[in-house]
Amino acid sequence: MKRSDRRPHRAALGLLLAAGLVGLAVAPVQTGCATQTTTVSTRALERSGRASFVCMGDRNLGAAAILPLTECNAATVLHITDYTRADIDGGVIKPEPHLYALVTQTTRGEVAVIDTTSKNNSVLDQDPSVPGANFLPVGAQPVDIVSTPGGTATFVGVAEIGREGLFALPSARIRPASTDGSGGAGGTAGSGPTVLPAISAWPSCRLPAAPGQMLLVADPAEKTGGNNQAATRPCCDADYGAKACSAGAPSPAAGLNGDIDAEGGGRQKLIIAMPSMGGVAVIDAQGLLDSEPGVYAPCNVERWLPLTTDVPVLPPAPPPGGVACVNPKVEVADLPANPDARPTGLAYAAGRLYASDLDTSLIHVIDLPTPCEPIEGRPLLPTSLDEPRRAVTTSHVAVAPTLTPDLKRYLYAVDARDGSAMVFDVSDDQASQFPLQRPHPEWDPFASSDRIRFAAPAADLVIVQRDVPKVDPTTGVAALGVRCSPDPSLVGCLPTSQSCDIAASYQTDTATYTNGAGPKLLRGTFAFLALTNGRVAVIDIDDLDSACRGPRLPSPLYGCAGAPTPNEQPLNTAKELSCNVVLPNTPRMGTYSSPEEAGRSQAGILGYPQLFDINGAPINDTDPGAARLVATVPTAAVGQVPEFAISVGGTPIHLDPQTGIAIGAEINVKADSTLANKSTLMMNLEDPRAQLADQSWFVVYEGVLPGFTSSLASFDLGGTGADGTTKDVLRDVNSRFCDGGVQSEKALAEKPTPSNPNETAKSLADYIHVQTELPDQADRYWDQKKLESPLVCDFNECRALFGSVDVPATGRDFRIVEAYQDHVEIEPRTSLPPTKLTKPEAWRQVTRCCFPSLVTFDVHVSHQWDVVGEQTGFLHHVITDPATGVCRDSCDPNESRRNGRAPRVVNPGSLPSVPDHDPRGFQNPMFRFAVIDPLPTADNKKGDPVVGQQFRWTTSGAFKALQVSLSADSSTLIQPVGMTYVPATGQLAVTDGSINGLLVIDLSSSTVVGNFF
């Protein structure tokens, strides 16, 4: 079937649908009692691909109706409801601008035109005479769309098999035909009513293969001739000022579809990624626009740049080193030999083009002094610290269009495998080729140090630079790029101010938290990621208000670089409890973390930690025989101590910086005596992102390590161990002891001496507790007469040594002497009773005899408290030594806060001060504390904690990233495909690959304000 023959069939189908379905917007449903009606919204758009925007005024102005995008700014388009003839001022018609989105329809091979300014009939029907929505036909499988800066034309790349190519849509012809002589898609103004054009009506050309992403880059004009006027060249090999690319008459269609050069931005060139050909093509945009419609001749590729596939061999990173720790196995990427590159995404800024690659571990960097002189330079090298052996490829790239005020420029790339984002510093030629790593990754070890990950992969990304400048009343100027200053000596500006500091006018209004620096006021440079779960995530790059989003007094406790000095004046900030609420190249926090803001997300606890006995009954805080939690005290603060508090149930409770105990809600009054015996802790406030989730915590004395409960294993007592010698072994290939964080006696012996002098490596080593019950006394197993060889044990002897599961004896506990991934070397944890078992060989025989088959077991910590989160589990940084196979701590300093063992602090009779980073204290990514032993009592003369006792509490104020949901409810399926930023309106447009068409996000409120379908 010819392409021109398709439309009548679709029209007939449209008539049938109109008669049977589409025309029935309200359908009655008969019931036994009444008739219900259901209103169904008809949807014209389906499986939208990419979008581009043009600004146009009154259609009666013909070509003069085409306007630069800057004319469709927020001030002019938000209040227009429909087309009207503007007032005539001085004989000149002032057009009312409308912002049009051109959206590719991937299954229909068309481009839909949407008037995003109009409140009614926003999806334009190009031919009202035919039922159903009619759009602009182009080739099948449109892959990308771009518009010239001045809106003269839009270009579409299509990947239809056998007809790969480019189509040019003159803006003067994208609006529907009308009956008032205004023209439209089928003609020009004054031509009268027309019909939807066939695909052959557009200027087009054929490509040798399917295109990928496209960009428009200007070939700048040069001053020529005696008058020194700027002139462009019609193609790369022509002279500046020439009328045509070669001798002879210009194209027959030259100028009929618009003059892109008249936009004044230089000669526009289409830069096109050609994935299957492994290179980038350069095509003149005006030349394509001037081509004769319907001919579909081969595209005039002016420049062709094949991209390199030479990935340099990357040296392994140097090991971090350390005491009593090991380094993971050194691994380098296994890079396949790719004969060709496969460029997909493109990004351009400051004379440099960046291309992602789906087949090669490179991000191509192409210098473009002009589009006619592409030179591939030193590439960027995407890698993964989490998976060093993986060859990382990329699907999308985005780069900041201009430098930040700090003269920085960042490029973001999407990992093609997992959809995470990598960040590269491309500020200058000396920038690193590798992805940036987060500063202080130990603060939040849950996040990849060289990746930004979300709950769903990224489908597209864009970098946005925007500002909401305030007018300086003294100058009348709204300067861009002014950073908020928290300096308390500055005077903010009021409308009547004669002298003021505009930088202070951006400070947070802490009386209401409704104005000034805040989570949703986006001033600066930000990355937006469209996630496949139907949300748009926001990433801080350079927030102009970041200095005003922090604590009143800086302190290392809050992740600040400096510390307050005595008598320092508090800063005029949002009173948030971290200097890193805003952190470059990390997810943006969606709420305030100030204790004074009603919608805060301040990290804290719902209630004070409570101690429970082994049966789950609470123990009174005043019980002298009870252990206690206290917050570790700040030693990093220099001079004036900042606010040292814990949020309890939303109320900040101040802590004594000398002892860590609770004082009360008011710091300047007498301490609240009712809080003196409460257990306390201190939240880590350096990076709010470490607070992963609101969850319950359990701190149990000699508690069980998660992951080993009821595991099955075999005793190999006196067998051959991993090192070829005779060892006593508990073996289970499925337990993965190193991954579970097991700590052996030999591992502890290599560490510094424990802080408690009464503890040794032997006493602190984890132990196995056998959970399997002995064979029943009546079991025939014990019948000696029926056995070929007599047993070396009997039931009573086994019961005396091991007890039962419900009433266990100490013989069930086996100290872990050394640990490997699949087995542990063990010995009895306590001295054997004075029986025949005193000889090791006899002990082995009797143990094998009492447990003749596989056993279940737990792993317990010894003389310590294990700390387990309801969601994060037991944190540790134990790995397998690649050289010996033993379980040892990792030397990686980024993992230093992955701790799950709290040591005991001997109670000297009064609460001791436990400073920050004291080895007697405990610290994980979320909080820190010290556990004080009970006071000695008549029943507990040594003041030992009771096995099985546990502290419980629930953390609150988990980090909430700023994300925009594209659907009003969870039942609506959103499949983001592409994003486009419209600077003039400050809006972000997201196309949906399902049935929701085009969604518009207002970045002033971070909410969806329009849905066109």
Side-chain angles (χ1 to χ4, degrees):
M1 181 185 295
K2 294 182 180 179
R3 189 179 291 273
S4 59
D5 295 335
R6 295 179 182 176
R7 188 171 165 273
H9 292 267
R10 192 183 64 185
L13 178 61
L15 288 171
L16 291 174
L17 291 173
L21 293 174
V22 177
L24 300 179
V26 179
V29 180
Q30 298 294 334
T31 64
C33 299
T35 299
Q36 297 178 338
T37 59
T38 303
T39 301
V40 180
S41 298
T42 58
R43 295 176 182 264
L45 277 67
E46 183 179 7
R47 296 194 181 279
S48 298
R50 312 285 297 190
S52 187
F53 288 82
V54 295
C55 180
M56 300 182 71
D58 192 322
R59 70 181 68 202
N60 291 284
L61 295 177
I66 302 172
L67 302 169
L69 269 180
T70 53
E71 294 295 320
C72 283
N73 54 61
T76 59
V77 304
L78 294 182
H79 305 294
I80 299 174
T81 58
D82 206 348
Y83 291 108
T84 59
R85 291 295 296 273
D87 295 334
I88 299 178
D89 182 11
V92 178
I93 298 177
K94 298 191 306 183
E96 287 187 343
H98 281 231
L99 184 64
Y100 294 90
L102 288 84
V103 184
T104 60
Q105 304 296 287
T106 57
T107 56
R108 296 173 58 168
E110 297 175 331
V111 173
V113 182
I114 303 171
D115 184 355
T116 63
T117 307
S118 178
K119 306 302 181 184
N120 300 308
N121 303 318
S122 54
V123 180
L124 304 187
D125 186 356
Q126 298 292 339
D127 191 351
S129 65
V130 177
N134 299 280
F135 303 141
L136 304 178
V138 293
Q141 301 180 42
V143 293
D144 201 10
I145 184 169
V146 292
S147 300
T148 61
T152 302
T154 297
F155 299 90
V156 185
V158 298
E160 181 178 359
I161 298 176
R163 291 184 62 85
E164 300 88 348
L166 304 173
F167 289 83
L169 308 180
S171 295
R173 298 171 56 197
I174 65 171
R175 292 191 282 198
S178 65
T179 58
D180 62 1
S182 63
T188 58
S191 64
T194 55
V195 296
L196 183 70
I199 191 174
S200 58
W202 308 119
S204 59
C205 69
R206 182 192 298 272
L207 287 170
Q213 188 173 346
M214 305 188 304
L215 293 176
L216 279 165
V217 178
D219 182 16
E222 285 192 2
K223 294 180 178 180
T224 61
N227 56 10
N228 206 28
Q229 290 184 342
T232 61
R233 51 183 173 179
C235 58
C236 289
D237 295 324
D239 294 330
Y240 286 93
K243 299 299 183 183
C245 289
S246 58
S251 170
L256 295 181
N257 294 314
D259 184 3
I260 302 175
D261 288 357
E263 295 180 4
R267 188 77 176 189
Q268 295 294 319
K269 303 292 184 180
L270 283 164
I271 311 294
I272 306 168
M274 303 294 290
S276 63
M277 297 181 67
V280 175
V282 179
I283 295 174
D284 185 66
Q286 184 67 52
L288 174 56
L289 188 64
D290 288 344
S291 62
E292 187 174 355
V295 176
Y296 211 55
C299 297
N300 179 24
V301 178
E302 297 188 85
R303 292 290 185 266
W304 169 252
L305 179 66
L307 298 176
T308 182
T309 59
D310 296 331
V311 181
V313 177
L314 306 178
V323 179
C325 63
V326 297
N327 292 302
K329 181 181 179 181
V330 177
E331 296 179 322
V332 295
D334 185 12
L335 301 175
N338 292 318
D340 297 302
R342 191 179 170 197
T344 51
L346 298 176
Y348 174 81
R352 191 165 288 170
L353 180 71
Y354 304 90
S356 59
D357 196 315
L358 279 176
D359 283 350
T360 307
S361 292
L362 296 173
I363 296 175
H364 305 277
V365 180
I366 304 161
D367 289 321
L368 288 180
T370 75
C372 298
E373 303 170 271
I375 304 172
E376 187 168 6
R378 189 178 72 155
L380 301 176
L381 304 176
T383 54
S384 172
L385 292 178
D386 293 337
E387 302 173 87
R389 288 187 56 85
R390 178 162 69 93
V392 179
T393 60
T394 50
S395 59
H396 299 78
V397 287
V399 66
T402 61
L403 294 172
T404 67
D406 293 337
L407 303 180
K408 285 290 187 179
R409 191 194 310 276
Y410 297 100
L411 177 134
Y412 276 59
V414 174
D415 189 321
R417 175 182 290 186
D418 61 18
S420 61
M422 294 167 283
V423 186
F424 296 84
D425 184 352
V426 293
S427 304
D428 52 49
D429 292 336
Q430 282 70 46
S432 171
Q433 292 178 274
F434 298 96
L436 291 179
Q437 297 184 40
R438 292 182 296 113
H440 296 289
E442 75 278 5
W443 289 347
D444 180 14
F446 306 114
S448 297
S449 59
D450 64 345
R451 285 290 193 283
I452 303 174
R453 299 183 188 275
F454 291 97
D460 197 13
L461 78 166
V462 65
I463 293 180
V464 169
Q465 290 178 314
R466 67 186 301 269
D467 198 355
V468 187
K470 291 182 177 292
V471 177
D472 188 333
T474 63
T475 62
V477 176
L480 295 172
V482 177
R483 292 192 180 277
C484 180
S485 173
D487 187 343
S489 66
L490 298 183
V491 178
C493 295
L494 299 174
T496 58
S497 297
Q498 298 297 316
S499 176
C500 63
D501 296 288
I502 193 65
S505 299
Y506 293 99
Q507 295 173 358
T508 306
D509 177 7
T510 53
T512 63
Y513 282 91
T514 57
N515 297 303
K520 293 187 177 181
L521 180 59
L522 302 179
R523 297 179 56 244
T525 305
F526 306 90
F528 293 85
L529 271 63
L531 307 180
T532 56
N533 61 1
R535 305 182 73 85
V536 174
V538 186
I539 299 174
D540 288 316
I541 296 180
D542 182 41
D543 183 359
L544 295 174
D545 293 328
S546 59
C548 295
R549 295 284 311 280
R552 288 297 186 105
L553 290 172
S555 168
L557 289 175
Y558 306 146
C560 309
T565 59
N567 303 317
E568 181 176 341
Q569 290 297 314
L571 301 174
N572 286 337
T573 67
K575 303 180 182 179
E576 298 184 80
L577 295 183
S578 176
C579 278
N580 297 305
V581 170
V582 177
L583 197 59
N585 300 308
T586 56
R588 184 170 181 83
M589 191 169 185
T591 59
Y592 287 100
S593 67
S594 170
E596 297 184 13
E597 200 275 324
R600 62 184 175 270
S601 184
Q602 181 190 355
I605 52 180
L606 294 182
Y608 292 99
Q610 175 65 55
L611 182 64
F612 294 84
D613 67 19
I614 194 170
N615 298 313
I619 298 175
N620 196 303
D621 295 329
T622 60
D623 188 339
R628 181 173 175 183
L629 258 61
V630 297
T632 51
V633 302
T635 56
V638 178
Q640 183 175 343
V641 176
E643 185 177 36
F644 183 54
I646 176 72
S647 173
V648 181
T651 301
I653 300 298
H654 294 271
L655 305 175
D656 185 343
Q658 303 301 320
T659 62
I661 64 173
I663 299 174
E666 300 292 336
I667 195 170
N668 294 321
V669 299
K670 186 178 179 181
D672 186 346
S673 60
T674 63
L675 303 179
N677 295 305
K678 295 290 186 184
S679 285
T680 59
L681 54 89
M682 183 62 184
M683 305 302 293
N684 288 335
L685 302 172
E686 296 99 335
D687 187 350
R689 293 155 194 83
Q691 308 296 336
L692 279 185
D694 297 341
Q695 58 181 318
S696 297
W697 289 87
F698 307 89
V699 177
V700 187
Y701 186 66
E702 293 204 355
V704 178
L705 297 188
F708 298 104
T709 303
S710 301
S711 295
L712 282 172
S714 61
F715 277 120
D716 185 6
L717 304 178
T720 301
D723 57 0
T725 59
T726 300
K727 302 289 184 181
D728 296 321
V729 168
L730 182 83
R731 192 178 306 277
D732 177 18
V733 295
N734 298 316
S735 278
R736 305 184 67 85
F737 291 98
C738 297
D739 293 348
V742 167
Q743 182 172 256
S744 68
E745 178 184 345
K746 290 186 177 180
L748 284 162
E750 297 171 5
K751 295 184 177 183
T753 304
S755 57
N756 187 341
N758 297 324
E759 293 171 345
T760 63
K762 187 178 289 292
S763 67
L764 293 175
D766 293 346
Y767 63 92
I768 297 291
H769 178 77
V770 176
Q771 290 278 26
T772 298
E773 189 60 273
L774 298 170
D776 187 84
Q777 188 172 10
D779 194 291
R780 60 183 300 176
Y781 173 75
W782 304 108
D783 192 342
Q784 301 278 350
K785 297 179 181 179
K786 296 181 179 180
L787 296 177
E788 295 181 1
S789 58
L791 297 177
V792 297
C793 64
D794 57 38
F795 176 81
N796 291 328
E797 190 174 37
C798 291
R799 174 59 67 89
L801 180 60
F802 298 109
S804 64
V805 171
D806 295 331
V807 186
T810 56
R812 285 181 176 265
D813 298 338
F814 301 88
R815 180 182 297 105
I816 297 176
V817 179
E818 186 61 280
Y820 298 81
Q821 189 76 309
D822 62 348
H823 70 280
V824 290
E825 297 173 4
I826 59 175
E827 66 182 15
R829 188 174 182 236
T830 58
S831 300
L832 298 175
T835 65
K836 64 182 181 181
L837 301 180
T838 52
K839 294 182 179 181
E841 182 55 36
W843 164 76
R844 295 186 183 105
Q845 291 177 356
V846 173
T847 302
R848 287 195 296 262
C849 177
C850 295
F851 297 104
S853 59
L854 296 177
V855 297
T856 59
F857 66 93
D858 295 334
V859 178
H860 291 249
V861 303
S862 178
H863 294 281
Q864 299 176 87
W865 300 77
D866 78 330
V867 183
V868 179
E870 185 180 32
Q871 297 186 40
T872 53
F874 176 76
L875 300 177
H876 67 88
H877 47 280
V878 176
I879 61 172
T880 303
D881 185 345
T884 63
V886 298
C887 302
R888 292 294 186 271
D889 285 347
S890 170
C891 293
D892 188 352
N894 300 341
E895 302 292 302
S896 60
R897 289 193 180 183
R898 282 185 173 270
N899 299 312
R901 303 167 186 272
R904 296 168 49 183
V905 178
V906 176
N907 195 331
S910 62
L911 287 179
S913 173
V914 182
D916 264 334
H917 310 299
D918 189 307
R920 297 176 301 166
F922 170 84
Q923 181 171 217
N924 69 9
M926 282 69 72
F927 45 72
R928 56 187 185 272
F929 58 78
V931 190
I932 311 300
D933 275 356
L935 285 170
T937 63
D939 297 329
N940 184 6
K941 293 183 172 53
K942 293 184 178 180
D944 292 329
V946 178
V947 173
Q949 285 189 351
Q950 60 180 271
F951 292 94
R952 301 179 200 166
W953 69 88
T954 301
T955 53
S956 60
F959 176 80
K960 296 179 177 63
L962 179 60
Q963 295 186 6
V964 181
S965 176
L966 296 175
S967 60
D969 56 79
S970 58
S971 62
T972 302
L973 176 64
I974 303 288
Q975 298 176 337
V977 175
M979 288 194 298
T980 306
Y981 177 56
V982 186
T985 62
Q987 293 177 330
L988 193 66
V990 184
T991 50
D992 176 37
S994 183
I995 62 174
N996 290 284
L998 183 74
L999 301 104
V1000 178
I1001 299 172
D1002 183 0
L1003 296 186
S1004 296
S1005 59
S1006 298
T1007 56
V1008 175
V1009 295
N1011 186 191
F1012 305 96
F1013 51 78

